[in-house]
Amino acid sequence: MQPTLKQCSAFVLAALALASAQADTVIVNANGYTLNTKGDLVQFAALAFDDNGKILAVGSAAEVAAKAPNARQVDVKGRTVLPGLIDAHGHVFGLGQMLTQLDLSQTASLPDALKAIGDYARANPGQGWLRGRGWNQENWKLGRFPTALDVDAVVSDRPVWFERVDGHAGWANSRALEAAGITDNTPDPAGGKIMRDAAGRATGVLVDAAKELVVKVLPAQTELEGRKVLERALAEMARVGLTGAHDAGLGVAEDRLYRAYADQGKLTARIYGMIGGTQGDFDVLAKNGPLKTYGKDMYALRAVKLYSDGALGSRGAALIKPYSDEPHSHGLLFYKTSEMDAMMKKAMARGYQVNVHAIGDAGNHQILDIYQKELAATKSAAQRHRIEHAQVVTQADIGRFKTLGIIPSMQPTHATSDKNMAESRVGPERIKGVYAWRSFLHQGSRIACGSDFPVESPNPFFGIHAAVTRQDASGQPIAGWYPNQAMSLKEAFRCFTLDAAYAGHAENSLGSLEPGKWADFIVVDQDLFKVSPYDIYKTGVLQTWVAGKAVYTK
C-alpha cells in the first residue's frame, strides 16, 4: 500500500519548533520517500533545509513553502528523492586501492586473469610490486587455487600480490614469496594457512593470517598515496548514492586523514570508524576514549573491529562440523576463546562498540558465548555490539542474537555471489542458517546492511535488489536462491537507512528525512517503489547531497 502525502503532516508539525530558522534551500517537485521514526514509509513532494544542512520541513509543496517562503528552490522535475544510503560494513581505503590497482573481479577464467596481469605489468613498467584484488577461483571453474607458477609465466621479474575477492586469501608469484621469506618449510602461522601441493611445496596462495607474511614486506603507503586512495573511494561512494559508510578496520594513518578531510570540508560521506584490533593503534586511538562525533557528525570512531574466523570461499570460515566438500577441514578460528575474550572485554570496558567478523557457525558460536559472558561483566549492552557477516549460524544461535541484543551486520550481495558454492561448502541442512535474513527479522533483530566493499560492489541498489529477490544481476536463479529468506522492499530499504544508522548510534540524526536531521539525500532515475523488484539494481543516482550540499551530480 502506497503512503500518502497526508502522512507527512506529522513531519510538518514536528518542524514548528524549527520554523523560525532561515531555510536556505527547498527541493521541490520531488517524488520523495522516507521512513519516519516508527518505520512507516512516507511520501513527500518538497524538502526544506537551512544553511547548516539541517532539515526544517518535509511534506507537500504548500506545507513546505509556508515554512520556507523565501528559500532558493531546486526543482528535481518529478524525480525520486530518497534518504542517503548507508553502508554498514565497507573498507573505504580498500575500495580506493582497488580503484587504483588491478581489478580481477570480472575475469572469467585463469587465462583471462593471467592476460589481465600481463597487460597490467606491461602498462606499468616502472612499478615495483604489482598489486590487485578480486580473483575468485570459483568463478573460474578451476577446481583448484591458482599458483605462483601460473603467474610466474606472465610476471617473473618483480613481485606480485593479488588478494582474493573476499580479502581472506592472497596469490603471490615466486618473487613475492622470496621477498617474504616463505619457503616450503615455513610453518603455518596461527590462524592462517600456506597452501601446499601434494609434495608439500608452497603453492603461492596464503590464507588469512598467513597473508601477513607478505603484507608486512609490502612498500608502506605514503600520505600522498593515502589521500589519492581516499579521494577515489569518496568519489565512487558519492556516485552510487552512499552518504555514509561504516569503515570496518582502520588505524592511526586513516584516522588522521579522516580528521583532516573533515576539518577541510573534503569528507563527502559520513564515516563511522572501527579501530582494527585492540593492540598498537587501538592503544593510541583509544587514549581519550571513543570519539562519538567530529566535524559536524562527519566522522566518529567509537567501535572496534575484530576477526573470529576466515571466509567461506577460501574455506577459512570456522565450522562446527567439517566442510561438506572438504571433510578433513573445519576452517580456522583465529584465536583461542580466552584470547578473543580478552580482546573483546578490553574494548567493551573502554566504552567501544565491539564488531566481530564471524562467518562460520563455530565463529559465530564462539563470539556469542563471549558476548553472553562479558555483556553482564561489562554492563555494555548500550554500546550496541555487533557480529559482522553472521553468514553461517545454527538455528539455536540465531535466537541468541535477539536474546543478547547483538546486531547482525549482514551483506545481501554476499548471498547472491556465494550461492554457487555455499551449499557445497555446508550441505543441505546447515544451509538453512546461511544468509538467513528472514529468520533474523522474524525474531525482531534489526539488520544493518552493507556490501563489504570492495569485496562486493559499493552500489547499495545491488544490495537492495539482492535482499528482495535473492537473485544476482543476471536474474539467477529464476525463483530466487532460498527465497523464503528474502526481505520485503521496505525492510531492505530500512536496513540501508534507519537500521544502518542505528548500528552506528546515529538514528537521531541520520537514516531518514525528518525535521532536525541532516539533509543527506539522493535523487535517482527511477521510482524504487514502483519498478519491478527485478529492476532495482538498475537504479542510477543523479545527485547526492550531504548536509544540504551537492557532492555528486551526474
Side-chain angles (χ1 to χ4, degrees):
M1 181 175 178
Q2 293 291 328
T4 67
L5 291 175
K6 291 181 180 179
Q7 289 175 280
C8 289
S9 60
F11 277 29
V12 178
L13 290 173
L16 290 176
L18 300 167
S20 60
Q22 174 63 46
D24 259 11
T25 305
V26 176
I27 303 298
V28 299
N29 196 16
N31 173 44
Y33 295 90
T34 187
L35 296 166
N36 61 20
T37 52
K38 297 179 181 179
D40 299 322
L41 189 64
V42 178
Q43 279 191 276
F44 63 90
L47 166 72
F49 47 90
D50 63 22
D51 58 2
N52 292 317
K54 289 291 186 75
I55 297 171
L56 295 172
V58 184
S60 69
E63 289 170 324
V64 174
K67 303 300 176 188
N70 301 313
R72 174 178 72 103
Q73 293 194 346
V74 175
D75 188 345
V76 294
K77 305 184 186 304
R79 294 292 195 180
T80 296
V81 176
L82 304 171
L85 300 174
I86 302 168
D87 192 306
H89 184 112
H91 303 274
V92 176
F93 286 82
L95 174 62
Q97 287 166 352
M98 188 167 187
L99 294 169
T100 57
Q101 297 173 355
L102 177 60
D103 180 5
L104 294 172
S105 63
Q106 301 306 308
T107 56
S109 65
L110 177 60
D112 190 17
L114 294 175
K115 180 181 184 304
I117 293 168
D119 291 345
Y120 184 70
R122 285 185 288 275
N124 294 276
Q127 193 168 316
W129 281 74
L130 294 180
R131 297 181 60 185
R133 184 167 179 155
W135 61 271
N136 186 347
Q137 82 285 355
E138 296 292 333
N139 290 345
W140 296 345
K141 310 297 184 188
L142 195 59
R144 63 173 175 86
F145 282 95
T147 68
L149 293 177
D150 290 327
V151 73
D152 285 347
V154 291
V155 182
S156 60
D157 62 330
R158 47 191 156 152
V160 302
W161 178 243
F162 301 114
E163 292 205 19
R164 192 179 184 277
V165 62
D166 56 18
H168 285 269
W171 175 23
N173 70 349
S174 295
R175 289 291 294 269
L177 292 177
E178 180 183 343
I182 297 171
T183 70
D184 298 341
N185 297 320
T186 302
D188 291 347
K193 183 177 182 181
I194 298 171
M195 299 292 285
R196 305 174 197 272
D197 62 19
R201 295 182 294 248
T203 64
V205 170
L206 309 174
V207 180
D208 290 318
K211 287 171 46 193
E212 292 304 310
L213 299 172
V214 170
V215 171
K216 68 183 181 183
V217 300
L218 292 172
Q221 180 175 270
T222 67
E223 182 168 334
L224 178 59
E225 289 170 337
R227 288 177 175 272
K228 289 180 179 178
V229 163
L230 177 56
E231 287 166 9
R232 285 293 299 271
L234 291 171
E236 180 65 7
M237 290 160 64
R239 187 186 71 82
V240 298
L242 289 176
T243 59
H246 298 184
D247 194 341
L250 57 89
V252 170
E254 293 83 5
D255 172 74
R256 185 186 303 118
L257 280 177
Y258 280 141
R259 292 177 193 246
Y261 272 57
D263 291 340
Q264 298 161 17
K266 295 169 62 177
L267 200 54
T268 54
R270 300 185 191 277
I271 302 297
Y272 181 78
M274 310 178 201
I275 302 170
T278 57
Q279 307 300 321
D281 283 0
F282 175 82
D283 292 330
V284 175
L285 295 171
K287 184 178 180 181
N288 297 315
L291 179 69
K292 294 185 177 180
T293 184
Y294 186 87
K296 297 183 178 179
D297 293 339
M298 291 305 300
Y299 179 52
L301 189 64
R302 61 184 301 183
V304 167
K305 168 72 180 302
L306 300 171
Y307 286 86
S308 170
D309 65 351
L312 203 59
S314 53
R315 297 189 186 87
L319 299 182
I320 296 170
K321 296 181 179 180
Y323 277 83
S324 297
D325 59 355
E326 196 170 277
H328 64 276
S329 175
H330 287 256
L332 299 163
L333 276 176
F334 284 5
Y335 301 98
K336 297 176 181 177
T337 297
S338 59
E339 295 170 331
M340 178 60 78
D341 190 336
M343 291 188 289
M344 291 172 65
K345 185 174 184 177
K346 178 179 179 179
M348 295 163 86
R350 293 293 300 274
Y352 286 87
Q353 178 191 60
V354 175
N355 303 339
V356 188
H357 163 118
I359 288 184
D361 52 13
N364 279 277
H365 187 76
Q366 179 196 55
I367 301 309
L368 289 168
D369 279 353
I370 297 172
Y371 277 136
Q372 184 169 333
K373 174 187 173 185
E374 296 300 350
L375 277 169
T378 61
K379 296 181 172 57
S380 63
Q383 287 152 227
R384 300 181 186 175
H385 304 300
R386 299 161 38 170
I387 287 183
E388 306 300 310
H389 310 308
Q391 285 184 9
V392 185
V393 188
T394 66
Q395 296 297 314
D397 277 343
I398 287 175
R400 296 175 73 198
F401 277 77
K402 178 62 176 175
T403 302
L404 296 171
I406 304 303
I407 297 171
S409 171
M410 306 176 81
Q411 299 75 42
T413 49
H414 277 339
T416 52
S417 292
D418 291 356
K419 61 181 171 27
N420 294 332
M421 60 81 182
E423 189 162 359
S424 66
R425 294 284 193 271
V426 301
E429 186 59 33
R430 284 183 292 190
I431 200 71
K432 297 174 183 177
V434 177
Y435 315 100
W437 314 322
R438 172 56 46 205
S439 296
F440 281 103
L441 291 170
H442 181 71
Q443 69 184 13
S445 291
R446 301 175 73 155
I447 298 176
C449 278
S451 66
D452 200 12
F453 65 72
V455 175
E456 304 280 357
S457 166
N459 189 327
F461 294 101
F462 290 4
I464 294 173
H465 169 266
V468 173
T469 66
R470 302 277 293 197
Q471 292 179 334
D472 59 25
S474 64
Q476 295 299 315
I478 293 174
W481 186 66
Y482 289 92
N484 60 307
Q485 290 291 351
M487 298 186 196
S488 70
L489 177 55
K490 189 172 85 167
E491 289 168 340
F493 182 55
R494 177 174 176 135
C495 81
F496 277 98
T497 52
L498 271 180
D499 288 346
Y502 175 84
H505 296 272
E507 73 277 11
N508 292 325
S509 58
L510 305 174
S512 62
L513 299 174
E514 301 179 81
K517 290 191 172 186
W518 289 107
D520 295 358
F521 62 92
I522 57 177
V523 183
V524 298
D525 62 2
Q526 63 178 2
D527 189 329
L528 193 67
F529 295 94
K530 291 182 179 176
V531 300
S532 164
Y534 307 105
D535 290 330
I536 290 172
Y537 75 94
K538 298 177 183 177
T539 304
V541 176
L542 303 175
Q543 298 175 30
T544 300
W545 295 63
V546 176
K549 300 288 191 297
V551 298
Y552 169 78
T553 301
K554 185 173 181 179

